[in-house]
Amino acid sequence: HRAFALQLRLVGLISFSPMQQTTLGKSTLKVTRLSYGCWRIAGTWDSNRVTPQARTEGVQAVITAYEAGYTFFDLADIYCDGVAEEIFGEALRKSKPLRSVAVIATKCGIRPPNTPASGAPYRYDFSSKYIIKSCDDSLKRLGADCIDLYQLHRPDYLMDPAEIAKAFAKLKKAGKVKHFGVSNFKPSQVATLQSALKQPLLVNQVEISLSQLEPFEDGTLDQCLAEKITPMAWSPLGGGHLGDGAKQVLPSQEGYRTGKIRRALDKLAREFGVSRGAIALAWLLRHPAGIVPVVGTTRPERIKELTAADAIELTREQWYSLFTAARKTDLP
């Protein structure tokens, strides 16, 4: 049934077919196993260069993702200085069906340089005042009354767990946020923050892919399993290196060498009749921690084709064939 629905989605015979769902962390919040990442929907990182056409294309990318089956949408206030949230808000206003099913996740805590005053450095800010203001600003840009999942974007080295707990409690009581999570946190940082919170952290969003195996070995996925925290995988295709080519990558991803991995992916892609990107996502979905890959392409055909991962379950042997291809050294 899933495979048949997938084929209908891919050829455009049905307008919406949801994927399988998973539960986020210890909550009852249900989301699709793939999340649609909105960091690219403005077409640029420079808010001054966003054109009306780019906005229109961004709205269409979001609606295409919904029609392909995604209901879990990942954003951040830092994405194009808030323009990505504005574009997503436009998509919500344009599509009532999308608004009725969308689970909205966004993030705060990164402050650009020269804000609020000239000379201020790029930095992280988990002060209660900034968290609450950031949430209010995101809600306004999204045109929403409530954020389903609100995450702290990158660890603030001046993080005061008690202060964060007060901010979270205020946002929860005001009905502005339903659930909370973190992003790019080490296990010790997750544990430290959780110790001060009454509500459980639902997710830790980190870079996980066949190009970035560190979460398998640094305790991140172990903690997620033990504490029932859902790992979200940003850049699950290694900035595109594992898909059809890297077009916009972070400095840390420029040195990824994926020839061996791509050959292993292509072998399985031929067996399943899907793209190598879909196999790379299925590899993440196979992990028992319930990894939710965040798909970031804005190309309609890619948005649709990657949903094939939802219907693929790799065997242990297939999973390890990719894992060993990705490792720099043989398994001990």
Side-chain angles (χ1 to χ4, degrees), residues 11-138:
V11 298
L13 296 181
I14 55 178
S15 61
F16 174 70
S17 181
M19 303 178 208
Q20 298 181 74
Q21 294 192 323
T22 187
T23 303
L24 282 188
K26 295 178 180 178
S27 75
T28 58
L29 183 61
K30 297 285 188 178
V31 300
T32 45
R33 295 203 302 160
L34 297 179
S35 171
Y36 183 67
C38 299
W39 77 291
R40 288 190 174 104
I41 61 173
T44 175
W45 275 97
D46 185 349
S47 59
N48 295 316
R49 297 176 60 188
V50 180
T51 64
Q53 180 181 350
R55 284 180 176 269
T56 299
E57 291 174 352
V59 168
Q60 188 55 53
V62 172
I63 293 176
T64 296
Y66 157 70
E67 292 176 345
Y70 302 78
T71 63
F72 188 23
F73 295 89
D74 176 74
L75 299 114
D77 60 0
I78 199 72
Y79 295 162
C80 198
D81 297 325
V83 176
E85 289 181 329
E86 292 176 0
I87 291 172
F88 189 80
E90 291 174 24
L92 291 176
R93 289 189 292 275
K94 184 174 182 179
S95 173
K96 289 183 179 180
L98 166 66
R99 192 179 188 103
S100 69
V101 301
V103 176
I104 302 172
T106 194
K107 314 178 198 69
C108 74
I110 298 178
R111 301 196 74 159
N114 301 310
T115 58
S118 178
Y122 172 89
R123 63 208 184 279
Y124 308 136
D125 190 344
F126 288 175
S127 64
S128 178
K129 180 179 179 180
Y130 188 69
I131 291 172
I132 292 172
K133 180 183 184 302
S134 297
C135 181
D136 288 338
D137 290 345
S138 286

Side-chain angles (χ1 to χ4, degrees), residues 181-230:
V182 295
S183 182
N184 301 299
F185 272 46
K186 297 298 184 185
S188 61
Q189 294 165 330
V190 174
T192 298
L193 178 56
Q194 184 63 76
S195 69
L197 300 176
K198 291 184 178 180
Q199 63 270 65
L201 294 168
L202 297 194
V203 308
N204 186 10
Q205 185 175 157
V206 297
E207 184 181 7
I208 319 173
S209 73
L210 282 160
S211 294
Q212 177 51 270
L213 301 177
E214 186 175 349
F216 291 89
E217 299 178 346
D218 68 0
T220 295
L221 293 178
D222 298 332
Q223 180 186 55
C224 287
L225 275 167
E227 303 297 331
K228 293 185 178 180
I229 297 170
T230 298

